[in-house]
Amino acid sequence: METERIGETVQKAMNLTPGFSRPLMDWYQAHHRDLPFRRDREPYHIWVSEIMAQQTRIEAMVQYYDRFMTLFPTVQDLAAADEDTLHRAWQGLGYYSRVRNLQKAAQIVAGEGMPRTKKDLQALPGIGPYTAGAIASISFGQKAAAVDGNVLRVFARLYNIREDVMKPAVKRKIETRVLDAMIEPYGDFNQAIMELGALVCTPGTPDCAGCPVNQWCLAGDPASLPVLPEKKRKTEEKKTFLVYTDGQRIHLEKRPAKGLLAGLYGFPEGAVPEDLTGIHALQGYDHVFTHKIWHISGWLVPVDEGALPRMYTPEEIEAGMAVPTAFQPLYKAACSLLAEGTIGRQADSVNTPD
């Protein structure tokens, strides 16, 4: 009798697995993208790729991943990297706090080893529930959900969940649904959902006709899901930066250790000096951060050789200094003027940049 009851319990548990799980896995095996970090299950590779993929499209991220792995092939290499090399390797990906936390965690892992469970992985700096779930399932074969934006969207549509998916209670509901649907290998299942969200069940106009789980989808209007919170309006700030040059080199200074673009190289902020001649207005532009917008204007300001410390040639900057994306248009414009050899001549105009 006891054996029969156990058998019935197991059968009921098996019957709870939704019908879409196997078709989803079959679709993934046939259609998933060949990505460098999917070619093995090395935890370090999965970890770095998942951190990079936050705020970055996979197609754009791959080149950065390859470069990063060339520079830091092991977690020990990452743990020992100096700050400038680390920032330079991350240049172009933005959100530099991610790589700083990555290194802090690498220093712990280099000494203590890699945690294997989702709970223990979340104790490392910069690793949240999603990344921990991805590593635990893909690298260690554990039944752990990895719920990112793609997964929230796919499951909100599959189950016609018309609540704000960013609310903790709704996220927990979806995580439960994911765990109920998971079949082995669990890492592949998590990646299959993510891949479905990236390639088929996309934001806006999903490809429902090409969806392998279409017949199980309960959403009458998939494009209307998921329900998301209203976006907060970004704060806007006007910024004026001064690019000092002696005609051969450019002045850069390291930003404070805390705050926006912390620890990176940039240009000093300030008003345009009224008593200087030969200054050049640089093209203005906007730079959009997660929570704010900078309306940037810049001026190229000639100075005498030796007038300022921390002057660098473009070659020195390109070789090993991390100039964040927010400053790149100013830097590139300054380099163009240096190459033209016009620095020090009277500018045609000293009007505020466009």
Side-chain angles (χ1 to χ4, degrees):
M1 292 293 291
E2 184 65 27
T3 302
E4 289 179 4
R5 283 197 297 270
I6 292 173
E8 289 175 3
T9 301
V10 171
Q11 186 63 42
K12 287 179 181 178
M14 290 175 65
N15 289 340
L16 287 175
T17 302
F20 63 76
S21 298
R22 177 49 56 191
L24 173 64
M25 289 284 269
D26 292 342
W27 171 85
Y28 176 71
Q29 293 303 323
H31 298 284
H32 69 272
R33 291 167 292 180
D34 179 24
L35 300 171
F37 42 84
R38 284 181 176 160
R39 295 169 190 164
D40 60 50
R41 298 184 183 276
E42 165 59 42
Y44 176 56
H45 297 165
I46 304 302
W47 176 20
V48 171
S49 70
E50 293 296 349
I51 297 298
M52 281 190 172
Q54 298 167 11
Q55 311 292 339
T56 307
R57 292 177 63 252
I58 293 293
E59 291 79 7
M61 180 268 279
V62 168
Q63 62 176 313
Y64 295 104
Y65 173 84
D66 289 338
R67 181 181 72 184
F68 197 87
M69 284 302 164
T70 299
L71 290 170
F72 313 118
T74 69
V75 71
Q76 289 78 15
D77 294 316
L78 175 57
D82 67 83
E83 184 181 61
D84 284 347
T85 302
L86 186 71
H87 286 164
R88 179 67 179 171
W90 202 261
Q91 186 171 326
L93 285 165
Y95 305 94
Y96 286 82
S97 60
R98 291 183 294 165
V99 75
R100 288 191 285 270
N101 281 328
L102 187 61
Q103 185 181 51
K104 289 176 185 176
Q107 290 166 346
I108 296 171
V109 170
E112 302 177 6
M114 190 75 181
R116 299 176 67 89
T117 69
K118 183 174 181 178
K119 179 180 178 182
D120 290 342
L121 284 161
Q122 284 182 246
L124 293 173
I127 295 187
Y130 163 72
T131 303
I135 298 169
S137 62
I138 298 169
S139 297
F140 302 118
Q142 297 195 7
K143 188 175 184 179
V147 180
D148 70 347
N150 282 322
V151 177
L152 289 173
R153 182 171 61 257
V154 169
F155 271 72
R157 289 170 174 173
L158 273 172
Y159 289 94
N160 197 31
I161 296 172
R162 295 192 171 273
E163 302 172 85
D164 182 350
V165 295
M166 300 311 293
K167 289 184 177 179
V170 180
K171 278 189 175 182
R172 288 193 296 270
K173 179 193 296 186
I174 290 176
E175 181 170 351
T176 299
R177 298 280 193 183
V178 173
L179 288 169
D180 288 343
M182 290 184 83
I183 57 177
E184 296 185 89
Y186 299 127
D188 285 358
F189 182 84
N190 277 331
Q191 291 182 92
I193 306 171
M194 297 175 209
E195 198 77 337
L196 187 72
L199 302 181
V200 177
C201 195
T202 55
T205 54
D207 178 17
C208 295
C211 180
V213 300
N214 179 276
Q215 70 184 86
W216 291 275
C217 186
L218 300 179
D221 180 14
S224 67
L225 293 171
V227 176
L228 296 169
E230 185 177 346
K231 288 185 178 181
K232 293 182 179 178
R233 183 180 177 85
K234 298 178 187 288
T235 58
E236 302 186 36
E237 299 177 9
K238 290 185 177 181
K239 295 283 186 178
T240 300
F241 294 103
L242 306 178
V243 185
Y244 293 102
T245 179
D246 61 9
Q248 301 294 323
R249 299 175 299 167
I250 295 171
H251 172 71
L252 284 173
E253 57 186 30
K254 211 164 196 179
R255 293 177 63 83
K258 293 184 179 180
L260 199 58
L261 304 178
L264 304 175
Y265 288 94
F267 303 110
E269 186 176 357
V272 183
E274 295 181 357
D275 58 342
L276 289 178
T277 59
I279 63 175
H280 293 255
L282 302 176
Q283 181 69 39
Y285 58 96
D286 293 340
H287 184 79
V288 181
F289 295 96
T290 305
H291 57 292
K292 65 174 60 182
I293 300 172
W294 278 1
H295 301 292
I296 295 174
S297 59
W299 297 86
L300 191 65
V301 182
V303 295
D304 293 334
E305 185 176 350
L308 286 174
R310 299 183 295 280
M311 301 284 283
Y312 309 95
T313 65
E315 291 76 18
E316 290 172 325
I317 295 169
E318 294 294 333
M321 301 176 73
V323 179
T325 306
F327 295 119
Q328 282 291 327
L330 293 180
Y331 168 69
K332 291 176 181 177
C335 287
S336 294
L337 288 171
L338 261 64
E340 291 172 6
T342 58
I343 304 305
R345 301 176 190 171
Q346 180 66 40
D348 294 333
S349 172
V350 291
N351 293 328
T352 301
D354 295 336

